Amino acid sequence: SLRHSLKTLLNKDALPATLIIFCFLLPYGAVNTFVAMYAEDTGLGLVNSGIYFTFLALTTALMRALTGRVADKKGEGPMVYASIASLGLSLLLLALWPHAAGYILSALFFGAGFGMMTPSMQAMAMRIAEPERRGSASSTYLCGFDIGIGLGGIIGGLLVKHFGYTRMFALMLLALLASLAVYQFWGR
């Protein structure tokens, strides 16, 4: 039955981590969708937009390797706060400093935030789920992950259409604030 299928796919214990990552990844979806067009539109086309994704990927990998032990010892709290601050700084750099240096620094901060937050929230979802329900907790978390990225691109497109790239990046800070609020009031 549908009810049984939903129960095996979704886990209510994983909802705090899922909602946090959903809100956190809305800006990720918007940036990944529009950062290359933004570079072209602002004259940063001279800077290969692939460089943004290269720095983002390298920093993501580095942060995942370096922060795992910290998260294991201190919990996800420090990772959540550092991730939101890092991604927020990245968005501000894109919104306020349309220069090659701002573009590259934004990629570094973006990768750092993403690299810290995603494994921390997945670990949180797994930790609070009962051992026999960890598969459904992972499913729930990954649904929020994917929907956040996809919806972020859609929302980003609507914001770009009405406000332009720089304001869209700035407005995406609201999703980070929502992520922080969910963590503060429900996830901790």
Side-chain angles (χ1 to χ4, degrees):
S1 72
L2 179 62
R3 186 175 180 192
H4 177 70
S5 296
L6 288 176
K7 188 175 181 179
T8 58
L9 288 176
L10 300 177
N11 185 317
K12 65 179 175 139
D13 293 334
L15 288 177
T18 301
L19 188 55
I20 292 164
I21 203 66
F22 168 80
C23 294
F24 184 81
L25 290 177
L26 289 170
Y28 185 86
V31 169
N32 274 351
T33 304
F34 294 104
V35 75
M37 290 179 270
Y38 165 75
E40 193 67 37
D41 191 55
T42 57
L44 293 174
L46 301 173
V47 177
N48 181 343
S49 60
I51 209 141
Y52 191 92
F53 296 107
T54 301
F55 280 109
L56 186 149
L58 291 172
T59 310
T60 297
L62 180 65
M63 293 312 289
R64 285 186 178 175
L66 296 176
T67 59
R69 289 188 181 125
V70 174
D72 289 343
K73 290 179 183 176
K74 306 263 184 191
E76 76 277 338
M79 298 300 108
V80 170
Y81 299 124
S83 297
I84 291 172
S86 185
L87 202 69
L89 183 55
S90 173
L91 291 169
L92 286 172
L93 286 166
L94 286 173
L96 301 175
W97 195 20
H99 186 272
Y103 190 70
I104 291 170
L105 281 173
S106 171
L108 294 171
F109 284 112
F110 207 85
F114 182 73
M116 287 184 283
M117 179 69 100
T118 54
S120 298
M121 287 298 98
Q122 188 163 21
M124 179 181 160
M126 297 301 105
R127 188 184 70 251
I128 60 178
E130 296 174 19
E132 66 275 2
R133 301 274 298 142
R134 286 191 179 143
S136 64
S138 182
S139 171
T140 304
Y141 171 81
L142 291 172
C143 284
F145 189 100
D146 291 340
I147 294 169
I149 292 172
L151 195 56
I154 294 168
I155 293 169
L158 294 171
L159 292 173
V160 166
K161 180 180 177 183
H162 295 289
F163 301 109
Y165 292 109
T166 57
R167 287 192 183 126
M168 180 271 291
F169 293 131
L171 287 169
M172 280 293 163
L173 289 166
L174 296 174
L176 292 181
L177 292 176
S179 184
L180 179 63
V182 171
Y183 180 72
Q184 281 294 114
F185 297 111
W186 191 25
R188 284 193 309 160

